[in-house]
Amino acid sequence: MKTTRSFFLLTALLLTAKVYAMDSHKKFAALDHDKNGFVTLDEAGADSVLAMTFEKWDKDKNGRLSKEEYSEYHNEI
């Protein structure tokens, strides 16, 4: 019984993580208006928290967020 419950909980956690990751990709795609694979500060304006903290997440300071940089932001909020 305990093993079955543990398996169920582990499966639920893995599915939740996958759905959360998909949300991140969908949100990134929605923000990336010009579909160039990056989110600029102007594009980030649609997410007020991201816009206010944009510089923090732009790790390489190139004025745009990559999918990886955006994922770091999304995982922290």
Side-chain angles (χ1 to χ4, degrees), residues 7-23:
F7 178 75
F8 175 76
L9 289 173
L10 178 60
T11 302
L13 285 171
L14 290 173
L15 290 174
T16 301
K18 185 174 181 178
V19 168
Y20 187 77
M22 287 190 318
D23 272 349

Side-chain angles (χ1 to χ4, degrees), residues 3-4 7 17 22 24 30 33 36-37 42 47 49-50 52 55 57 65 67 70:
T3 302
T4 303
F7 178 75
M22 287 190 318
S24 172
H33 296 282
N36 68 348
D42 286 340
D47 178 335
V49 175
L50 179 59
M52 291 186 322
E55 289 184 22
W57 302 109
L65 299 183
K67 289 178 183 175
Y70 180 80

Side-chain angles (χ1 to χ4, degrees), residues 1-66:
M1 179 78 158
K2 189 174 184 179
T3 302
T4 303
R5 190 178 317 174
S6 296
F7 178 75
F8 175 76
L9 289 173
L10 178 60
T11 302
L13 285 171
L14 290 173
L15 290 174
T16 301
K18 185 174 181 178
V19 168
Y20 187 77
M22 287 190 318
D23 272 349
S24 172
H25 294 298
K26 287 180 183 178
K27 289 178 182 177
F28 180 89
L31 290 171
D32 182 16
H33 296 282
D34 61 7
K35 305 301 179 208
N36 68 348
F38 297 95
V39 173
T40 63
L41 181 56
D42 286 340
E43 292 170 324
D47 178 335
S48 60
V49 175
L50 179 59
M52 291 186 322
T53 60
F54 187 88
E55 289 184 22
K56 173 183 177 182
W57 302 109
D58 182 14
K59 302 295 184 186
D60 58 7
K61 305 301 181 205
N62 65 355
R64 58 190 191 173
L65 299 183
S66 65

